[in-house]
Amino acid sequence: MTSLFIDAGFDSGNIDVLGIEGATARLAIRRDNESEFFQWFHFRVAAPAGEEVVLKLTGLNASAYPGGWPDYDACVSEDRAYWARATSSFDKDEDGGTLTVRYAPSAGVFWCAYFAPFSMERHHDLIAETASCEGVDYVRLGTTIDGQPIDCLELGDGDTQVWLYARQHPGETQAEWWMEGAIECLTDPADPVARALRKACRIHIVPNCNPDGSRRGHLRTNAVGTNLNREWADPTPERSPEVLAILGRMDQTGVDFAMDVHADEAIPAVFIAGFDGIPSWTQEQGAGYDRYQRILDRRTPDFQTKLGYPKAAPGRANLSMSTNQLAERFGAVAMTLEMPYKDLADFPEPEQGWSPERCKLLGRECMAALVEWLEGRDA
Ligand code: ZN
């Protein structure tokens, strides 16, 4: 009789059990609905306390980003608040590519995930808490295909239109942890960074662009398998109502500065990507991007500029991606922020790796960098 049980029937749960033998479970990650993408996993393990469990996630050579598995340690938690890392190893030749996770729980149950989950319940708590803060306006932008609201929070009395939006890719939970940090900063009545930004800007925040993918436990797509960050040139009510709703509000307010918050499976670093190659690119717009990057690089050792994505050649930008679309459509200084699933290669913290705590601190730091950026713009 087995004493090892795996469950995933909950918010953002994602795993299939292929077989259990003794203290070893063979597992497979489910694909996003109507899509080939898979990489996000989140499940619960019941096993005897104090004994090592071996979890084998198989078939990973076919996952969205096979480069994400080498040098990656799975996230584990026994209280669902503190997430540590469990020693993991990847073998591309075992069972179609297998990540082996070993963990000895101190209690009879623990949770395992690709990164610390950010549940829809926690999302609603964040919306409720923020909407009740002085000076914050709640705006319901629209409805998803599964019937969930697309939430926006707006604050500030200035003319500069700032847009912060996250989790177009729902398995990138780092992005909503970042939002929690940025929002805690922005809604603190005493915080000097928040006071400066609320004076200079109108700030529009969409903490979760893809609630359906989030609840379904998807990596990259919404309820019908659409990658929302390839829909910004031509969103439709059938495939991408989320983008249609957010872009509709942006057309009303305008956009001067935009940050689209993501995470990258393979690259062990925090970096930003800009809008090189848009048809209307100007030296001044490009300089605004470079200046923000320099400010953030100076402010925090968690950010760097050596690792990142290659730049698009002139005229070759993909305008279906939000950063390029907003830079082209509004002349905005727009950027995609990427955080790792792995730890930072040049600044590791072995017990937790990249963590919710570090995402939140980065959110604050990005707001402080924005204050400096606005001051420099006026100088
Ligand atoms: Zn992404």
Side-chain angles (χ1 to χ4, degrees), residues 65-82:
Y65 304 95
W69 304 113
D71 304 320
Y72 165 78
D73 288 325
C75 299
V76 288
S77 178
E78 297 192 12
D79 63 2
R80 303 200 307 138
Y82 178 80

Side-chain angles (χ1 to χ4, degrees), residues 57 66 103 110-111 116 137 141 154 170 223 249 299 320 323 365:
L57 281 75
Y103 187 67
F110 68 96
W111 283 257
D137 295 313
L141 297 179
E154 304 190 344
R249 182 67 178 164
R299 290 194 67 98
S320 72
T323 289
E365 210 56 74

Side-chain angles (χ1 to χ4, degrees), residues 10 18 29 45 47 50 59 67 94 98 103 132 149 156 159 164 175 231 240 246 264 267 278 282-283 305 321 341 379:
F10 44 78
L18 304 179
I29 302 171
V45 182
E94 181 186 346
T98 294
Y103 187 67
S132 69
D159 295 328
L164 310 171
E231 291 287 307
S240 46
I246 297 164
D264 184 278
I267 300 176
I278 62 168
T282 66
Q283 198 77 43
T305 58
M321 296 169 75
Y341 288 85

Side-chain angles (χ1 to χ4, degrees), residues 47 101 125 143 160 166 189 224 283 310 332 342 350 360 369:
V101 182
D125 286 344
T143 310
T160 301
V224 293
Q283 198 77 43
K342 302 174 181 177
K360 291 181 69 165

